[in-house]
Amino acid sequence: MTLSSPTTALPASFRLEGGRLCLDPRDPTFFENPYPAYAALVETGGIAFWDRLGGHAVARHDLVSSILKDRRFGRIVPNDAEGRPDFSQKPEHLRAFYALEAHSLLELEPPTHTRLRALLTKAFVSRRIERLAPQIAAIADALVDDFADGDTVDFIAAFASPLPVRVIADLIGVPASASHLLLDWSHRIVGMYTPGRTAEVERAADRAAEEFAAFLREIVEEKRKKPADDLISALIAAETEGGKLDRDELISLVVLLLNAGHEATVHQIGNGVKAILAWSAATGTPPASPFASEAAAEAAIEETLRFDPPLHLFERYALAPVELPGGVTLARGDKVALLLAAANRDPAAYAEPDRFLPDRFLDRSAKTVTSFGGGIHFCIGAPLARLELRIALERLFARCPHVQMTARTRYRDSWHFHGLERPEVIPGPVDRRPRQPPS
């Protein structure tokens, strides 16, 4: 049961010669389907200097995986022995944004990164994640209940977006009534990671960072007076244990969790549904069939993460001189652009990489996907993301066995954060039989 990618056209802006890649990330042919360009890069060695990103793009699975774990590379080039970045030269109109980034796990290296990640791991224990399953199922069912039989639904707005934001808000300890604010702040902040961003996007992100931080300071003060069983309360407890965590660090950790805890999952739900529905249509197999057992469901979710993930780019900087294959020499401070989705389609790692095979990962020898990164910066929320994806898709296909996605569905002009723009689905007849309350 297989499904090929819809098109193999290379973008008009694509040029690859002499170890240099010319490619406009905003070329519609590219952001609609970047995989032919990735394949061309892999075929020529998997590494080339990409002028638009100012660093070497790396597409081979073995190279991407090894660099993610290689301590000669970091998310930043630290400014001091504490592993912190130097944002002193950033423009004044981004003051609030970089005040958050200065304490973000994404912008830190050891030993500060080690200290903060250990505290977050202690608060983000597996039992907190495991007990969310009934709640995730209940949220998914409630969202499906709002579908009208036969009507066209904006799938991101009606299902893929509200589900993870409600889950992460509750887990962290933020009122569900603030979900719309969290979404707005998150969308504006994520705009900072878009290639070619405008000054308007930057100012919007800075205002969002300022408003988000002020909102969380109020929440933190409330939790100090009245702790609860949530992540903010757990982190406050860590904050008071011998000064292990200060308030600015706590605020940045919570912002990161709220942003990362829903933004990527939103688009993976959309991308996953699109892939499974296309596979279902091509094979004549019900979309719910990959979820017939827990093992099959986990394998299918892993294949969606491989086939069309939301995060396509992680940047790393050389912390010392490094030699890469193909005669590429990096000096300290040189950047590499790790193309996670390209690595997931590398034929040296996966047979028939452009085919969606929901049972691919039933073979335990299959290579690990790069979609969550690797090494010390591996996504701490990966178990939650996988759980949300599995339950969301299970409930959707169980309740809407004849769901379809319309041909008008397109990808957003946001290549590195790959997701669908207002995808339209027709749920078909919705199963509204009484359900047993989640236990």
Side-chain angles (χ1 to χ4, degrees):
M1 297 178 182
T2 59
L3 174 68
S4 297
S5 289
T7 178
T8 57
L10 282 169
S13 63
F14 182 91
R15 299 288 185 279
L16 179 58
E17 55 186 31
R20 299 187 75 87
L21 173 63
C22 178
L23 176 61
D24 180 2
R26 301 197 65 182
D27 184 326
T29 304
F30 179 64
F31 67 71
E32 274 288 341
N33 182 15
Y35 298 105
Y38 294 160
L41 180 55
V42 169
E43 287 170 7
T44 57
I47 183 167
F49 188 87
W50 191 348
D51 55 352
R52 290 295 184 103
L53 298 187
H56 281 83
V58 181
R60 276 171 39 189
H61 187 281
D62 60 341
L63 282 180
V64 170
S65 297
S66 64
I67 290 173
L68 285 169
K69 300 170 186 174
D70 192 334
R71 292 301 300 128
R72 294 175 299 171
F73 291 89
R75 179 64 186 85
I76 59 162
V77 178
N79 182 52
D80 56 27
E82 294 301 308
R84 295 183 180 277
D86 179 9
F87 291 147
S88 60
Q89 301 304 310
K90 298 298 182 181
E92 178 60 24
H93 73 275
L94 288 172
R95 177 189 55 78
F97 175 81
Y98 282 106
L100 285 179
E101 291 288 280
H103 302 288
S104 171
L105 277 178
L106 295 181
E107 304 293 343
L108 296 169
E109 289 295 313
T112 300
H113 178 276
T114 306
R115 171 175 60 86
L116 294 181
R117 185 168 178 114
L119 291 170
L120 187 54
T121 301
K122 182 179 177 182
F124 210 74
V125 291
S126 59
R127 65 178 180 272
R128 287 186 190 275
I129 306 306
E130 293 164 359
R131 72 185 186 207
L132 289 173
Q135 177 190 354
I136 297 170
I139 293 172
D141 278 328
L143 293 170
V144 172
D145 285 341
D146 288 337
F147 292 175
D149 294 353
D151 281 2
T152 299
V153 174
D154 179 343
F155 184 69
I156 294 295
F159 188 85
S161 185
L163 187 149
V165 76
R166 291 182 194 178
V167 172
I168 196 66
D170 184 68
L171 176 66
I172 288 174
V174 174
S177 58
S179 293
H180 66 291
L181 294 173
L182 303 180
L183 284 171
D184 177 53
W185 291 326
S186 180
H187 292 333
R188 285 192 276 158
I189 288 172
V190 167
M192 281 293 292
Y193 307 111
T194 303
R197 65 180 187 251
T198 64
E200 182 181 1
V201 168
E202 291 184 344
R203 292 189 178 89
D206 195 70
R207 288 193 300 272
E210 186 172 28
E211 293 164 7
F212 205 162
F215 169 81
L216 288 174
R217 289 188 194 101
E218 292 184 9
I219 298 290
V220 168
E221 292 310 311
E222 292 173 6
K223 298 289 184 184
R224 285 191 203 283
K225 300 170 186 174
K226 191 176 180 181
D229 184 14
D230 53 47
L231 277 174
I232 290 182
S233 298
L235 288 170
I236 289 171
E239 178 189 20
T240 59
E241 293 173 4
K244 292 180 181 177
L245 179 71
D246 66 33
R247 190 181 70 166
D248 289 339
E249 291 172 338
L250 191 159
I251 296 297
S252 289
L253 282 177
V254 175
V255 168
L256 173 64
L257 285 172
L258 284 166
N259 286 348
H262 88 274
E263 194 78 30
T265 307
V266 167
H267 297 298
Q268 187 59 68
I269 291 173
N271 296 356
V273 167
K274 181 178 184 292
I276 290 174
L277 288 179
W279 166 83
S280 172
T283 62
T285 307
S289 61
F291 301 89
S293 70
E294 184 172 347
E298 290 176 354
I301 291 305
E302 209 64 14
E303 178 69 343
T304 67
L305 289 162
R306 183 201 70 83
F307 185 75
D308 200 19
L311 294 174
H312 281 215
L313 169 69
F314 277 0
E315 293 181 343
R316 294 291 183 266
Y317 292 86
L319 303 181
V322 180
E323 295 285 338
L324 294 179
V328 174
T329 301
L330 302 177
R332 176 179 167 85
D334 283 351
K335 180 168 69 175
V336 288
L338 305 180
L339 303 182
L340 308 178
N344 286 342
R345 296 281 190 108
D346 184 348
Y350 304 101
E352 300 183 288
D354 294 326
R355 294 181 180 273
F356 182 83
L357 300 169
D359 58 355
R360 183 189 300 271
F361 287 92
L362 285 174
D363 178 357
R364 296 299 181 180
S365 67
K367 297 282 188 182
T368 303
V369 298
T370 61
S371 307
F372 291 111
I376 67 169
H377 289 286
F378 180 80
C379 176
I380 200 168
L384 174 59
R386 286 185 168 107
L387 181 66
E388 288 178 308
L389 286 166
R390 178 172 62 79
I391 295 174
L393 271 58
E394 280 179 345
R395 298 311 303 148
L396 175 70
F397 294 135
R399 300 281 310 283
C400 305
H402 303 289
V403 62
Q404 298 177 39
M405 191 169 280
T406 73
R408 288 188 291 275
T409 294
R410 294 289 182 269
Y411 286 94
R412 305 181 309 151
D413 178 6
S414 181
W415 149 72
H416 76 299
F417 226 109
H418 188 62
L420 301 171
E421 183 173 37
R422 299 189 65 182
E424 296 179 348
V425 301
I426 303 172
V430 178
D431 182 352
R432 302 188 189 278
R433 288 174 293 181
R435 298 180 303 279
Q436 196 171 30
S439 57

